[in-house]
């Protein structure tokens, strides 16, 4: 593990008083979380679209089970099934969990085996304006079509309150041997849909809509719009 990643994780877990819906938090049995996202970004190659679907579920008191899907246009994507194991949970402590994901990725219409190991840490703190929360994921990812693995350090930070609107910030980074350092920063607005109805019939319960602007810097720079529907069940 790179020394810089060790240092960032240690400092964050020790000092940041922040909680999240997934990542470091173990779901109670028979409850879960799902996110369906769509991103449209403008790059040097023109408009690029990305679709993502994530769902996890508290299968037992010892682990959660989930699925992670991603598709970028018709160029590349992945399908992973994962298990989350709680290492430290409860109270005002820093929540810690480990995750093992297995599946495959495709590039240029060819599929390859893929696996990912993730260590997650998260905290939350109640304030007068609501509950501040934060989650950090450090991942080791190996795709079958690349000679070297990637390290990823991602963070999500936000505020839970009784208000309809709340802020959300997501940061994604990746680095590794033979790969350029890449990052994406997405400030978003989280809109609670609970209590709203569609045509007076369908009611959105335990659902949120997030709308954000994504700045991504990889081999090229791009700016995009990301829309996601969060659902808790």
């Amino acid at each position: 593990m790179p020394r810089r990643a060790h240092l960032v994780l240690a400092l964050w877990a020790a000092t940041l008083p922040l909680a999240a819906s997934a990542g470091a938090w173990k779901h109670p049995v028979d409850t879960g979380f799902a996110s369906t996202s769509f991103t449209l970004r403008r790059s040097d190659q023109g408009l690029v679209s990305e679709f993502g679907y994530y769902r996890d579920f508290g299968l037992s008191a010892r682990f959660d089970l989930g699925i992670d899907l991603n598709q970028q246009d018709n160029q590349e994507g992945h399908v992973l099934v994962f298990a989350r194991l709680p290492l430290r949970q409860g109270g005002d402590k820093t929540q810690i969990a480990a995750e093992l994901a297995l599946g495959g990725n495709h590039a240029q219409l060819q599929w390859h085996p893929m696996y990912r190991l993730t260590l997650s840490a998260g905290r939350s703190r109640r304030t007068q304006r609501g509950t501040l929360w934060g989650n950090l994921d450090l991942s080791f990812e190996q795709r079958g079509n690349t000679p070297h693995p990637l390290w990823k350090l991602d963070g999500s930070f936000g505020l839970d309150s009784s208000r309809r609107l709340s802020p959300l910030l997501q940061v994604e980074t990746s680095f590794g041997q033979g790969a350029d350092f890449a990052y994406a920063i997405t400030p978003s607005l989280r809109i609670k849909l609970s209590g709203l109805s569609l045509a007076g019939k369908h009611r959105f319960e335990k659902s949120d809509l997030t709308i954000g602007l994504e700045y991504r810097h990889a081999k090229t720079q791009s700016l995009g719009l990301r829309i996601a529907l969060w659902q808790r069940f």
Side-chain angles (χ1 to χ4, degrees), residues 14-213:
T15 63
L16 191 62
L18 298 170
S21 298
W25 274 261
K26 170 73 178 69
H27 286 299
V29 177
D30 294 335
T31 67
F33 171 80
S35 172
T36 304
S37 64
F38 178 78
T39 305
L40 185 65
R41 63 176 69 96
R42 180 178 293 277
S43 66
D44 295 341
Q45 290 75 37
L47 288 177
V48 178
S49 62
E50 181 177 349
F51 171 80
Y53 180 75
Y54 174 96
R55 184 184 182 105
D56 59 3
F57 186 75
L59 189 65
S60 74
R62 295 189 176 184
F63 70 93
D64 295 345
L65 192 65
I67 186 170
D68 178 11
L69 310 177
N70 180 270
Q71 178 66 39
Q72 299 184 33
D73 283 339
N74 295 320
Q75 302 300 316
E76 59 181 354
H78 67 249
V79 178
L80 294 170
V81 175
F82 64 85
R84 179 183 301 114
L85 305 176
L87 302 179
R88 185 186 186 191
Q89 301 286 299
D92 296 329
K93 303 176 181 178
T94 297
Q95 313 294 300
I96 301 176
E99 187 178 291
L100 170 63
L102 301 174
N105 73 290
H106 73 86
Q108 299 178 349
L109 303 179
Q110 293 187 345
W111 281 90
H112 309 272
M114 174 181 173
Y115 70 88
R116 184 176 65 206
L117 301 172
T118 303
L119 180 65
S120 301
R123 294 193 69 178
S124 65
R125 185 179 69 178
R126 294 184 182 275
T127 69
Q128 293 181 348
R129 295 188 177 183
T131 300
L132 287 170
W133 61 265
N135 185 81
L136 194 68
D137 299 318
L138 179 62
S139 300
F140 175 87
E141 181 179 288
Q142 178 66 68
R143 296 171 179 249
N145 61 323
T146 58
H148 304 291
L150 276 179
W151 287 95
K152 294 185 175 183
L153 186 61
D154 303 333
S156 297
F157 313 93
L159 174 70
D160 280 336
S161 70
S162 58
R163 298 180 179 181
R164 180 72 65 183
L165 305 179
S166 58
L168 174 68
L169 177 64
Q170 294 168 294
V171 181
E172 305 167 62
T173 68
S174 65
F175 45 93
Q177 183 178 348
D180 295 330
F181 177 77
Y183 66 89
I185 302 174
T186 309
S188 304
L189 190 64
R190 180 179 170 188
I191 307 169
K192 287 190 176 182
L193 301 181
S194 298
L196 300 180
S197 61
L198 182 62
K201 296 181 180 179
H202 180 74
R203 294 183 63 85
F204 296 95
E205 298 298 337
K206 297 183 179 180
S207 300
D208 299 330
L209 183 68
T210 69
I211 302 176
L213 289 177

